[in-house]
Amino acid sequence: MSAPARPVADLKVALFATCFNDTMWPETPKATVSLLERLGCRVEFPMEQTCCGQMLTNTGYGSKAGALVRRFVDVFEGYDAVVAPSGSCVGSVREQHPGIVELVGDDRLASRVEHLTPKVYELSEFLVDVLGVTDVGAYFPHRVTYHPTCHSLRMLRVGDRPLQLLRAVRGIDLVELPGAQECCGFGGTFAMKNADVSIAMGADKVRHVLETGAEVLVAGDNSCLAHIGGLLGRQRSGVRRMHLAEVLASTEEDQA
Amino acid sequence: MSTTTPGPLQQTSATFVGMPTFPQAARAALANTQQRKNLRHATHTIRGKRERVVAEVPEWEALRVAGAEAKDEALTHLGDYLEQLEASLTSNGATVHWARDAQEANRIVLDIVRSKEVDEVVKVKSMVTQEIELNEALEAAGIHAWETDLAELIVQLGHDRPSHILVPAIHRNRSEIREIFLREMGTVGRPAPDDLTDDPARLAEAARLHLREKFLRAKVGVSGANFAVADTGTLVVVESEGNGRMCLTLPETLISVVGIEKVIPSWEDLAPMLQLLPRSSTGERMNPYTTMWTGVHEGDGPQEVHVVLLDNGRSHVLADRVGRQALRCIRCSACLNVCPVYERTGGHAYGSVYPGPIGAVLNPQLRGTASTIDKSLPYASSLCGACFDACPVRINIPELLVELRGQVVEQEGRTAESAAMRAAAWVLSDPKRLAGAQKAAATAGRVVGTRTVRSVPGLGAWTNARDLPTLPTESFRQWWARERGEDDR
């Protein structure tokens, strides 16, 4: 394990689990906590947190997301860093919260949003940029391929940070995913409103995943993984889907 | 902002009235496997070329900013620049006409063509004349409009509609093109040779011979313009085949129909544009033919030049603070070529001559969201963001899509979806309510266990082809409260 770039024990770190992970994929925030604590962080989970508002905003109900933005700021502005295991939700905080506040027309809130937003990190950004680690001491002896979700890739520009982290995992056999940068077709309510196109896009993603021969598909967003995993499951492909946090949290004891 | 009040909306043309919603049209397109193959091959080829040539330009981002700024400057003072353009064009010997809508523009063109007592015109590929359906208007008056761009010729001969802004016949492969040429060319002019093969060179030769007759005969040419330079009164036409140059130089009379958003302030502003456009559109460093047309020159080219400046809903878009960035569009098609939705559905599903991501934002802005197709277009995207990255003038298409979804929702009022979203907002606005919903989910999770759920009433759109995720038996919140000793909510 490489040494963190700065002492992290003093950092007041909050976990933003995201409502989707909290409700549907609790293993992911659990893994995030375990990973961050292993790296020396003191992690808090403020119980008053709920949701970033992305689903409402992206479906056209941005005016209803004002209260969620206010809550997000109230809950998290006291922390040095807010970490979320979701590129999509962090993307929403960075790209959409300022716009929602503008819609609501609250200048005071706008400046609080402006102050808080730079402290909100997607997991791989926090590990690589803030903690300065790429080797997080993980062990995961499986053939893995990585899907960079659109919002991590094009909203957050996380670049190859997740791959740096994965490459340093002991035992891993990391294989490149063909057409990795192409959208899997989830897109929130797009998966329902344009189900046929969404499935056609997902089918191509699944084909590429199967081409790699990977046992495990990894990504930084459970929403995309639910869609791709749902298609993989229907095909009885046997390929497992896992969140990046869960792979990075894995240790030798877990695999025993 | 010179225009603050929204202008009139564009009328939806008869061709697209009653179009099904995007999801319905897309379903039909998805079933066409040949078209999907053609589209996939073509978009991936252009996409790869574009990526390579864009990567060659170290200052690409600065160029994008320069391009966006030049267009924004023009749009912010559009009235002033249009007046300047009119004055420079007029002093160069051109006649300027103003058209509020498609009908007015078509009437102006028709009157000019009639005054020349001809029954045909040659056309260089032009999106705006497709938008106003000029060919149909001319045809109704007994005047043949011959498309001379190779792909436009294929579409016209095939009694088809363009499926792409730049590559209108993108959905066709060469054996389909051969059949169209053999079947149709003879009915409107020089026939294709009997031994025509699907070799691209042979197909191009057949088109060249067929078109040559029309170029040499036509008295009137019709064009659009990629850019209209206000300070010099220059119209710029960018193309690959030289057919446009033939249309611009051979006929005695030239009629150029130009959308008012095509104006750029000065000659200097052309520099970034002519670097951005070819790399973004065809993936070339420089396009083969750039024709710059400044008025009338005695003994050289058309001796009568008419420029029709067209609004047709554009001033309506201009009045929208967020939406007006869509008018920066230089019709390069880069957003189409990178769009995963367009790649699978093709252009016809968008119900307009402007398909793909830019069409999904431009059409509902130009035409409003009254029709079923225009209501559905803002949702015809997974918001993956590839279009914004590819756009040479930095149009934030995902942002615009979300903005337009808000307008659709507002217009629709109370629906089942709005009720569901209000309920979601209510649950999510309070952690106690969220915890309550999570407990209900966890209970369901315990009931279902690890069994795979293959269908749930109301979730057919999801479960038709996708398994549902297994529900957890405990939310993270519950786990944290239990493990870390906080109150259980």
Side-chain angles (χ1 to χ4, degrees), chain A residues 171-221:
Chain A
I172 202 167
D173 175 13
L174 188 64
V175 286
E176 198 182 326
L177 179 66
Q181 305 206 343
E182 285 171 35
C183 177
C184 70
F186 171 67
T189 44
F190 176 78
M192 302 292 281
K193 284 177 182 277
N194 277 283
D196 297 298
V197 187
S198 163
I199 289 163
M201 289 160 69
D204 287 338
K205 183 60 72 179
V206 162
R207 185 166 48 79
H208 288 313
V209 171
L210 296 178
E211 272 166 28
T212 65
E215 302 158 62
V216 186
L217 170 70
V218 173
D221 273 295

Side-chain angles (χ1 to χ4, degrees), chain A residues 15 17-30 33-34 37 43-51 53 55-62 64-65 67-68 71 95-96 102-103 150-151 153-154 157 181-183 185-205 207-208 223 226-236, chain B residues 22-24 26-27 30 36 40 44 47 51 321 340-341 343-345 376 379-389 396 402-403 405-407 409-410 413 415 417-419 421-422 424-425 427-432 434 437-438 441 453-455 458-472 474-482 484 486-489:
Chain A
L15 169 70
T18 81
C19 65
F20 188 63
N21 283 320
D22 183 3
T23 309
M24 296 292 295
W25 309 94
E27 296 312 317
T28 297
K30 280 185 213 170
V33 172
S34 132
E37 288 180 345
V43 183
E44 288 180 36
F45 175 75
M47 293 290 263
E48 298 297 311
Q49 66 177 276
T50 59
C51 166
M55 180 189 67
L56 291 169
T57 308
N58 282 357
T59 315
Y61 298 83
K64 300 224 179 312
L68 298 182
R71 166 169 296 280
E95 296 282 321
Q96 296 183 330
E102 209 180 307
L103 206 67
C150 294
H151 290 175
L153 197 67
R154 283 180 281 264
R157 311 275 173 204
Q181 305 206 343
E182 285 171 35
C183 177
F186 171 67
T189 44
F190 176 78
M192 302 292 281
K193 284 177 182 277
N194 277 283
D196 297 298
V197 187
S198 163
I199 289 163
M201 289 160 69
D204 287 338
K205 183 60 72 179
R207 185 166 48 79
H208 288 313
S223 45
H227 166 67
I228 311 171
L231 287 160
L232 283 165
R234 187 60 58 93
Q235 292 194 11
R236 296 188 163 84
Chain B
F22 183 82
Q24 287 170 287
R27 190 175 306 136
L30 284 164
R36 269 175 78 179
R40 184 181 162 74
H44 280 249
R47 198 187 292 185
E51 263 172 35
R321 191 183 53 82
V341 177
E343 179 189 326
R344 286 162 183 90
T345 62
S376 67
Y379 296 94
S381 165
S382 64
L383 302 180
C384 82
C387 48
F388 182 23
D389 272 14
N396 191 336
V402 169
E403 174 82 9
R405 289 174 187 189
Q407 291 179 22
V409 161
E410 202 170 309
T415 58
E417 180 188 276
S418 78
M421 288 293 162
R422 270 201 309 277
V427 168
L428 293 170
S429 64
D430 182 329
K432 289 193 183 68
L434 175 58
Q438 287 172 339
V453 178
R454 295 222 186 266
S455 81
L459 282 182
W462 181 276
T463 53
N464 276 342
R466 292 167 282 212
D467 286 346
L468 279 173
T470 314
L471 283 169
E474 184 182 53
S475 69
F476 174 76
R477 187 177 302 264
Q478 287 172 297
W479 175 85
W480 180 274
R482 191 162 54 72
R484 304 294 172 113
E486 306 255 349
D487 293 341
D488 188 4
R489 287 170 185 277

Side-chain angles (χ1 to χ4, degrees), chain B residues 52-68:
Chain B
R52 282 195 296 280
V53 296
V54 164
E56 290 172 353
V57 184
E59 70 279 19
W60 184 253
E61 199 49 40
L63 267 180
R64 284 176 89 203
V65 170

Side-chain angles (χ1 to χ4, degrees), chain A residues 15-169:
Chain A
L15 169 70
F16 173 42
T18 81
C19 65
F20 188 63
N21 283 320
D22 183 3
T23 309
M24 296 292 295
W25 309 94
E27 296 312 317
T28 297
K30 280 185 213 170
T32 308
V33 172
S34 132
L35 172 65
L36 292 176
E37 288 180 345
R38 196 170 80 209
L39 295 169
C41 293
R42 284 187 301 117
V43 183
E44 288 180 36
F45 175 75
M47 293 290 263
E48 298 297 311
Q49 66 177 276
T50 59
C51 166
C52 66
Q54 180 177 189
M55 180 189 67
L56 291 169
T57 308
N58 282 357
T59 315
Y61 298 83
S63 58
K64 300 224 179 312
L68 298 182
V69 175
R70 188 181 306 279
R71 166 169 296 280
F72 188 88
V73 176
D74 286 345
V75 169
F76 288 114
E77 69 185 345
Y79 291 90
D80 298 320
V82 182
V83 184
S86 165
S88 193
C89 301
V90 173
S92 168
V93 170
R94 278 198 209 150
E95 296 282 321
Q96 296 183 330
H97 280 197
I100 295 167
V101 170
E102 209 180 307
L103 206 67
V104 175
D106 183 337
D107 292 346
R108 168 98 185 84
L109 185 60
S111 82
R112 289 169 69 200
V113 164
E114 197 183 343
H115 189 68
L116 170 60
T117 304
K119 298 191 290 183
V120 182
Y121 299 93
E122 181 270 341
L123 178 62
S124 74
E125 292 177 330
F126 183 73
L127 295 174
V128 175
D129 299 352
V130 181
L131 300 189
V133 284
T134 48
D135 182 351
V136 297
Y139 174 72
F140 193 73
H142 299 282
R143 192 175 175 90
V144 166
T145 196
Y146 172 76
H147 167 61
T149 63
C150 294
H151 290 175
S152 301
L153 197 67
R154 283 180 281 264
M155 259 184 165
L156 300 184
R157 311 275 173 204
V158 302
D160 73 340
R161 289 179 185 85
L163 289 168
Q164 290 179 38
L165 292 158
L166 285 170
R167 278 187 214 116
V169 171

Side-chain angles (χ1 to χ4, degrees), chain B residues 89-143:
Chain B
L89 282 166
T90 309
S91 70
N92 292 335
T95 309
V96 174
H97 309 260
W98 297 86
R100 261 170 302 204
D101 56 23
Q103 220 187 342
E104 226 170 73
N106 287 336
R107 198 175 54 236
I108 291 164
V109 177
L110 189 58
D111 286 347
I112 300 166
V113 176
R114 275 193 178 130
S115 74
K116 302 295 155 200
E117 297 176 341
V118 294
D119 66 354
E120 64 171 3
V121 301
V122 286
K123 288 185 68 203
V124 49
K125 174 176 160 30
S126 142
M127 291 307 297
V128 77
T129 59
Q130 275 166 12
E131 172 191 319
I132 62 175
E133 301 192 331
L134 176 64
N135 289 7
E136 289 80 354
L138 291 173
E139 211 67 54
I143 293 156

Side-chain angles (χ1 to χ4, degrees), chain B residues 182-212:
Chain B
L182 280 172
R183 193 177 64 230
E184 302 286 343
M185 270 184 175
T187 65
V188 290
R190 182 181 172 129
D194 292 336
D195 62 347
L196 183 66
T197 66
D198 65 2
D199 174 36
R202 293 290 314 278
L203 293 171
E205 185 194 16
R208 188 161 47 236
L209 293 170
H210 177 83
L211 289 171
R212 180 73 33 120

